[in-house]
Amino acid sequence: MDYRKVEINEIDRELFRNFRRRQAVTDCWRKEKGEWVIRNCPFIDEWSEEDYLVLVKCLRETVEAGGIMFGAFLDGELKGFAAVECTPMGSRGQYLDLPSLHVSEDMRGRGAGKELFRLAAAWAKEHGARSLYISGHSAVETQAFYKAMSCVEAEEYSREHVEMEPFDCQLEFILE
């Protein structure tokens, strides 16, 4: 696997031609009465063509604003990516946002997510963040990944993230 920064001129729909964002979800974490519990909520999370077009727009905006996108490539094809925003968040400006970390369905479990996370965290630290902010999918498998990466529940929740994805788990990865 080849890991590298993705340049803005590469970010288009064609970049994702062999990328499959699909996840069969069975159980999810939910916060109920202040406690985290696992609930059965089966569904298939799969991006539509419109989702990919919105993703391309968002990733281009991230890079144009001074953020970064890293890609994991296999034989020249994108198989995973992570993006970090450059605008500080939080009451003390302690966070940089990790709005995207995804690995193609056919490549999960091979270490690409860990390496992309490591690259994103290193970049965020170099750019003055004390923590990465993650609004992460609540699927048990996704949360197991973030826990394995030493993420914890966010000290402060981003209202915008919670409103956009109310079932996501709000996490942080401390960089210090």
Side-chain angles (χ1 to χ4, degrees), residues 148-168:
M149 299 307 297
S150 301
C151 296
V152 296
E153 186 172 359
E155 176 185 315
E156 296 178 27
Y157 279 23
S158 161
R159 188 185 76 232
E160 295 82 15
H161 285 77
V162 172
E163 288 174 358
M164 191 171 15
E165 294 288 349
F167 292 116
D168 274 8

Side-chain angles (χ1 to χ4, degrees), residues 109-167:
R110 299 183 189 188
K114 289 178 184 176
E115 181 61 16
L116 289 165
F117 188 90
R118 187 194 68 72
L119 289 167
W123 189 90
K125 187 172 185 174
E126 289 170 12
H127 288 80
R130 292 189 180 134
S131 296
L132 264 181
Y133 188 91
I134 304 135
S135 182
H137 197 293
S138 63
V140 167
E141 298 83 0
T142 302
Q143 290 304 305
F145 167 80
Y146 285 120
K147 184 176 182 177
M149 299 307 297
S150 301
C151 296
V152 296
E153 186 172 359
E155 176 185 315
E156 296 178 27
Y157 279 23
S158 161
R159 188 185 76 232
E160 295 82 15
H161 285 77
V162 172
E163 288 174 358
M164 191 171 15
E165 294 288 349
F167 292 116

Side-chain angles (χ1 to χ4, degrees), residues 12 84 95 130:
D12 58 18
V84 183
Y95 297 122
R130 292 189 180 134

Side-chain angles (χ1 to χ4, degrees), residues 101-121:
L101 175 60
H102 299 282
V103 176
S104 186
E105 182 180 40
D106 58 317
M107 293 302 295
R108 293 189 192 132
R110 299 183 189 188
K114 289 178 184 176
E115 181 61 16
L116 289 165
F117 188 90
R118 187 194 68 72
L119 289 167

Side-chain angles (χ1 to χ4, degrees), residues 5-9 11-12 16 53-71 81-89 96-102 120 123-124 127 132-133 161 164:
K5 175 183 174 183
V6 177
E7 301 296 334
I8 192 158
N9 64 337
I11 306 172
D12 58 18
F16 297 91
L53 296 176
V54 169
L55 173 69
V56 166
K57 179 181 179 291
C58 291
L59 291 170
R60 290 184 63 84
E61 288 172 356
T62 294
V63 173
E64 285 171 350
I68 194 160
M69 177 182 171
F70 292 104
F81 64 96
V84 183
E85 299 283 347
C86 66
T87 304
M89 302 169 42
L96 283 183
D97 189 20
L98 180 75
S100 293
L101 175 60
H102 299 282
W123 189 90
H127 288 80
L132 264 181
Y133 188 91
H161 285 77
M164 191 171 15

